[in-house]
C-alpha cells in the first residue's frame, strides 16, 4: 500500500497564470476544459509546488501537513491509499472503489445530477476505453453490459442494476444533451444493492461536513474516519454480529450517506464478489473492510480524527 494525492483545480478559482503553470506540470489527460485533474504519488515534488502556487494565489498559506479533504473555491484536495492484491486477500468484505468518471466540465456539474426519475446520467464521451467499473457524480458504481452479464452469470446475491441515461457535450449554450444507448456498442448500468448495512462500528468516528461529531445511526450526510484521518475512503469497520444478522449477501449499501442523494451510497462486496472479478480479470479497486467481534470500550472514538479537516473547523 502507498499514498497518492488527488487535486482538482478550477480555472475560475486561480489566476490564469497559475492555471497555465499547473497545466504545464501535468500530463495532457489531466486537462479538461476549465478543470485540471491531478493525481500523483504523495511524495512527488511537483505536488508541493502546485499546492504552494494555489495557496499563495488564494492568500491562504499551506502548512505542508497531510490532510484528507480541503475544499476552497479554487481546488479540492484528497489523499488516498493505493492497495495491491495482497492487501485485499483474506478479507471477508471489501469496499468497491471504481475509477472516477470525469465530468465534461465544472459548469456541467449541476446538469449531471440524476433525472427526475432518479436515473443516473453518464457522460459517454468521457468514459475511458476498456474500463469495467466507474464511479460518477452521485453514483457509486457504473458497469457496462458485458460486466453485468458476468456478475449475473456468477449468481451473485442482492445485486441490482438500474438503467442510466447517456449524455453528450453539445456546446456552451447547451452543455449536455440526452442521447440513446442504441448509438453505442453497449449500455452502462448503475450497480447497486437492495440491502443496506447497519451503521459502522462505534469504534469509528462520524462527522458532518462542517466537522462536527455525528451520532451513530444518524441519517444526516456524514463522513467516517478509521482513526487515520482518511475521511473520504477509510477502511470501514462493522460489528460482526450485526452484519451476520443480515444473512448472506454479495453486495450491500452502506448506511451512511456522503452525498445529498439517498441513492448514492458506497458499496460493500463479499469475498466471492471479489473472486468473480479477479477470475474474470475485471479491473476495479478495493478497500479492506474489517469485522469486529466485540464492541470497543466507550470513548474509543475520537472526533479529533476528522476535526480541523473541513472548512470552519479548528
Amino acid at each position: 500500500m502507498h499514498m497518492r494525492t488527488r487535486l482538482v483545480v478550477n480555472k475560475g478559482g486561480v489566476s490564469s497564470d497559475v492555471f497555465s503553470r499547473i497545466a504545464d506540470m501535468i500530463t495532457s489527460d489531466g486537462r479538461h476544459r476549465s478543470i485540471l485533474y491531478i493525481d500523483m504519488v504523495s511524495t512527488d515534488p511537483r505536488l508541493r509546488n502546485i499546492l504552494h502556487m494555489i495557496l499563495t494565489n488564494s492568500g491562504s498559506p499551506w502548512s505542508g501537513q497531510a490532510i484528507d479533504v480541503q475544499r476552497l473555491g479554487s481546488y479540492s484536495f484528497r489523499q488516498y491509499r493505493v492497495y495491491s492484491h495482497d492487501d485485499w486477500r483474506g478479507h471477508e468484505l471489501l469496499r468497491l472503489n471504481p475509477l472516477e468518471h470525469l465530468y465534461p466540465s465544472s459548469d456541467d456539474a449541476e446538469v449531471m445530477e440524476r433525472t427526475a426519475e432518479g436515473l443516473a446520467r453518464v457522460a459517454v464521451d468521457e468514459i475511458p476505453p476498456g474500463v469495467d467499473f466507474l464511479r460518477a457524480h452521485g453514483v457509486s458504481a457504473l458497469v457496462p453490459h458485458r460486466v453485468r452479464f458476468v456478475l449475473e452469470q456468477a449468481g451473485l446475491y442482492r445485486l441490482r442494476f438500474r438503467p442510466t441515461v447517456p449524455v453528450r457535450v453539445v456546446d456552451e449554450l447547451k452543455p449536455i444533451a440526452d442521447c440513446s444507448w442504441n448509438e453505442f456498442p453497449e449500455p452502462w448500468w448503475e450497480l447497486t444493492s437492495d440491502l443496506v448495512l447497519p451503521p459502522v462500528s462505534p469504534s469509528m468516528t462520524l462527522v458532518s461536513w462542517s466537522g462536527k461529531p455525528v451520532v451513530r445511526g444518524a441519517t444526516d450526510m456524514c463522513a467516517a474516519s478509521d482513526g487515520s484521518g482518511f475521511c473520504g475512503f477509510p477502511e470501514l469497520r462493522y460489528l460482526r454480529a450485526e452484519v451476520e444478522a443480515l444473512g448472506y449477501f454479495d453486495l450491500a449499501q452502506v448506511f451512511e450517506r456522503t452525498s445529498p442523494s439517498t441513492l448514492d451510497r458506497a458499496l460493500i462486496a463479499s469475498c466471492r464478489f471479489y473472486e468473480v472479478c479477479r477470475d474474470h480479470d475485471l479491473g476495479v479497486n478495493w478497500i479492506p473492510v474489517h469485522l469486529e467481534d466485540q464492541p470497543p470500550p466507550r470513548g474509543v472514538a475520537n472526533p479529533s480524527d476528522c476535526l480541523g479537516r473541513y472548512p470552519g473547523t479548528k
Side-chain angles (χ1 to χ4, degrees):
M1 189 271 292
H2 69 274
M3 299 294 308
R4 293 188 69 89
T5 297
R6 180 175 295 145
L7 277 167
V8 181
V9 182
N10 299 319
K11 189 172 185 178
V14 296
S15 69
S16 298
D17 176 62
V18 168
F19 190 85
S20 298
R21 288 165 62 192
I22 295 174
D24 291 340
M25 298 173 67
I26 65 174
T27 57
S28 59
D29 59 354
R31 304 168 194 158
H32 295 263
R33 295 172 66 180
S34 60
I35 298 183
L36 299 178
Y37 295 93
I38 304 156
D39 196 319
M40 297 178 178
V41 175
S42 296
T43 55
D44 193 314
R46 293 176 298 170
L47 182 62
R48 178 175 291 272
N49 292 335
I50 290 171
L51 285 169
H52 177 74
M53 283 191 289
I54 293 172
L55 289 166
T56 300
N57 180 80
S58 66
S60 302
W62 182 51
S63 64
Q65 297 177 349
I67 58 176
D68 176 46
V69 179
Q70 178 69 43
R71 294 192 180 277
L72 302 176
S74 55
Y75 77 106
S76 67
F77 171 89
R78 184 184 297 277
Q79 289 189 311
Y80 64 99
R81 304 175 175 101
V82 177
Y83 298 93
S84 68
H85 290 285
D86 290 337
D87 297 316
W88 300 328
R89 292 193 184 101
H91 285 276
E92 298 174 68
L93 298 175
L94 293 159
R95 176 175 174 174
L96 197 68
N97 188 32
L99 174 74
E100 187 169 1
H101 178 40
L102 303 180
Y103 311 158
S105 86
S106 61
D107 298 332
D108 302 335
E110 291 186 3
V111 289
M112 286 299 291
E113 296 285 354
R114 293 175 181 269
T115 66
E117 295 76 24
L119 301 182
R121 290 187 169 97
V122 181
V124 289
D125 293 327
E126 304 294 323
I127 297 177
V131 297
D132 301 315
F133 290 82
L134 285 174
R135 182 175 67 252
H137 184 64
V139 187
S140 291
L142 296 165
V143 296
H145 192 74
R146 57 185 169 79
V147 172
R148 172 179 177 170
F149 179 79
V150 169
L151 299 178
E152 288 184 323
Q153 288 296 108
L156 297 175
Y157 188 52
R158 306 302 293 257
L159 276 64
R160 297 294 182 268
F161 297 90
R162 292 170 55 86
T164 63
V165 176
V167 297
R168 310 192 82 152
V169 176
V170 180
D171 53 42
E172 293 183 357
L173 296 178
K174 190 176 182 182
I176 66 168
D178 293 350
C179 48
S180 170
W181 283 119
N182 293 331
E183 303 172 33
F184 305 95
E186 61 179 341
W188 280 70
W189 302 86
E190 179 181 3
L191 173 64
T192 186
S193 172
D194 63 350
L195 178 66
V196 178
L197 290 173
V200 294
S201 168
S203 68
M204 301 198 73
T205 301
L206 296 172
V207 296
S208 67
W209 292 113
S210 63
K212 297 182 179 180
V214 173
V215 177
R216 181 177 186 250
T219 57
D220 298 335
M221 282 188 1
C222 61
S225 171
D226 54 16
S228 65
F230 289 86
C231 299
F233 296 98
E235 295 187 353
L236 299 177
R237 298 193 291 265
Y238 291 92
L239 298 182
R240 179 180 294 277
E242 292 184 350
V243 172
E244 291 181 347
L246 299 175
Y248 182 79
F249 63 90
D250 287 305
L251 194 67
Q253 302 180 64
V254 302
F255 179 86
E256 294 76 18
R257 287 192 302 119
T258 57
S259 81
S261 173
T262 58
L263 298 174
D264 178 24
R265 298 175 188 264
L267 297 173
I268 305 299
S270 67
C271 58
R272 182 166 172 251
F273 189 113
Y274 165 74
E275 289 165 358
V276 169
C277 293
R278 182 195 60 192
D279 293 344
H280 289 82
D281 199 26
L282 299 180
V284 63
N285 289 320
W286 307 88
I287 300 174
V289 173
H290 306 277
L291 295 178
E292 299 177 333
D293 291 322
Q294 297 292 333
R298 293 181 63 86
V300 168
N302 180 11
S304 65
D305 289 341
C306 284
L307 294 181
R309 306 181 188 281
Y310 296 89
T313 64
K314 298 180 180 180

